[in-house]
Amino acid sequence: MPELPEVEVTRRALEPHVEGRQVVAVQVREQRLRWPVPAALPALLTGQRIARLDRRGKYLLWHLAGGTLISHLGMSGAWRVYARERAPPPGRHDHVDLVVGDALLRLTDPRRFGALLWHPHVAGDVAQHPLLAHLGVEPFDPRFDAALLHSATRGRTAPIKQVLLAGDIVVGVGNIYASESLFRAGIHPTQPARRLGPARCERLAAAVRAVLDEAIRVGGSTLRDFTSGAGAEGYFTADAGVYDRAGLPCRVCGTPIRRLVQGQRATYYCPRCQRR
Ligand SMILES: [Zn+2]
């Protein structure tokens, strides 16, 4: 499932092909994504210039003159970029093509949990869209710091791992990155969030930023042959500290890594390095 780093890498890959460019044509071959792709999308977008491509959480926000195109990769989505003249014929999972300037951007999504929605300016600030309004702060926003993490977790009795995954304090800490961040911060994943003191909040905020930043860098190194984020398991599968390493020795202390299930998601941790 594409996580925030994959979406940010996608944004960086698309950005030079779309910013300041005009939408020349739109082809919708399949409207049935998580929500129906608007039938009027070609009429809404064609001829408009894309001013900016932003990301909020795992949503890409394509800012046009008349509104914002909101896209999400769901479980298995990916944008591919082709030179317009050299795009291959669409396959059965290639649901939407956007021809922007000289490029053809193709949305592929085998499982169709992704989304492509239009939010006109007249409907108000896109930040207040129901999909966006309740998201936590961005991990690289200066407002995400130890003080915010500490105050936001005071009432939370749930384990810190699940509070991170909920995404209402900080966005982007998906399952892999939650395990990795807690490992680096030395915090046990079952620790009730409200018991974290200021020093541990400081370490955790720093770990979240570092883990996501590294993932984006690793993903960014694949930009040269950017074709896909589809089915990506995250960029940490090769050199994760704990993720998917049950039974293997901790890279810090040698203790076997353990696996537990929280909220139906696998959590990996070192019982010695990570304390409650
Ligand atoms: Zn350890």
Side-chain angles (χ1 to χ4, degrees):
M1 183 162 71
E3 299 283 358
L4 183 143
E6 288 85 343
V7 179
E8 176 60 21
V9 168
T10 298
R11 191 194 69 76
R12 293 179 187 186
L14 297 181
E15 190 175 41
H17 299 284
V18 305
E19 281 201 355
R21 310 282 171 92
Q22 194 176 36
V23 180
V24 178
V26 178
Q27 190 171 18
V28 180
R29 282 179 290 271
E30 173 61 85
Q31 283 184 263
R32 295 172 300 168
L33 298 186
R34 180 164 183 182
W35 300 284
V37 176
L41 205 62
L44 288 165
L45 302 185
T46 303
Q48 287 195 61
R49 201 164 294 280
I50 299 171
R52 211 170 67 250
L53 184 61
D54 282 344
R55 180 191 53 73
R56 180 74 177 98
K58 296 205 286 181
Y59 295 92
L60 288 178
L61 305 178
W62 313 60
H63 297 290
L64 291 90
T68 303
L69 181 67
I70 303 172
S71 71
H72 194 281
L73 296 175
M75 305 287 286
S76 59
W79 285 99
R80 291 183 170 82
V81 183
Y82 301 99
R84 186 182 177 183
E85 306 304 325
R86 288 203 292 276
R92 61 184 290 239
H93 300 302
D94 296 336
H95 307 313
V96 178
D97 285 351
L98 302 180
V99 179
V100 179
D102 298 329
L104 186 146
L105 317 180
R106 177 166 284 168
L107 179 63
T108 301
D109 188 354
R111 297 184 63 182
R112 291 194 279 112
F113 281 107
L116 199 57
L117 300 168
W118 176 246
H119 180 83
H121 283 324
V122 292
D125 184 356
V126 71
Q128 298 308 313
H129 190 282
L131 292 171
L132 307 177
H134 303 291
L135 297 178
V137 298
E138 288 289 324
F140 304 113
D141 187 321
R143 287 176 296 171
F144 176 59
D145 61 7
L148 181 142
L149 192 53
H150 188 259
S151 66
T153 48
R154 288 315 82 191
R156 309 283 282 261
T157 55
I160 182 61
K161 161 93 187 303
Q162 267 139 301
V163 169
L164 288 175
L165 281 188
D168 59 334
I169 297 175
V170 58
V171 296
V173 191
N175 200 46
I176 297 173
Y177 304 115
S179 279
E180 292 298 312
S181 300
L182 289 167
F183 173 63
R184 291 202 197 182
I187 297 170
H188 198 285
T190 63
Q191 170 80 40
R194 67 175 180 182
R195 296 235 205 97
L196 290 177
R200 306 228 289 171
C201 286
E202 182 84 56
R203 287 211 301 278
L204 184 53
V208 162
R209 275 194 298 269
V211 162
L212 291 174
D213 183 58
E214 280 174 41
I216 292 168
R217 281 167 203 266
V218 171
S221 68
T222 67
L223 272 184
R224 187 183 293 273
D225 56 359
F226 182 81
T227 50
S228 167
E233 275 291 304
Y235 297 121
F236 264 110
T237 43
D239 50 14
V242 288
Y243 189 80
D244 207 20
R245 300 194 70 239
L248 297 173
C250 171
R251 297 188 198 276
V252 174
C253 75
T255 304
I257 298 300
R258 289 189 191 163
R259 176 185 188 275
L260 61 83
V261 175
Q262 294 176 285
Q264 297 167 341
R265 308 296 303 276
T267 300
Y268 299 87
Y269 68 102
C270 172
R272 184 161 176 203
C273 291
Q274 293 173 255
R275 297 300 175 90
R276 285 173 62 104

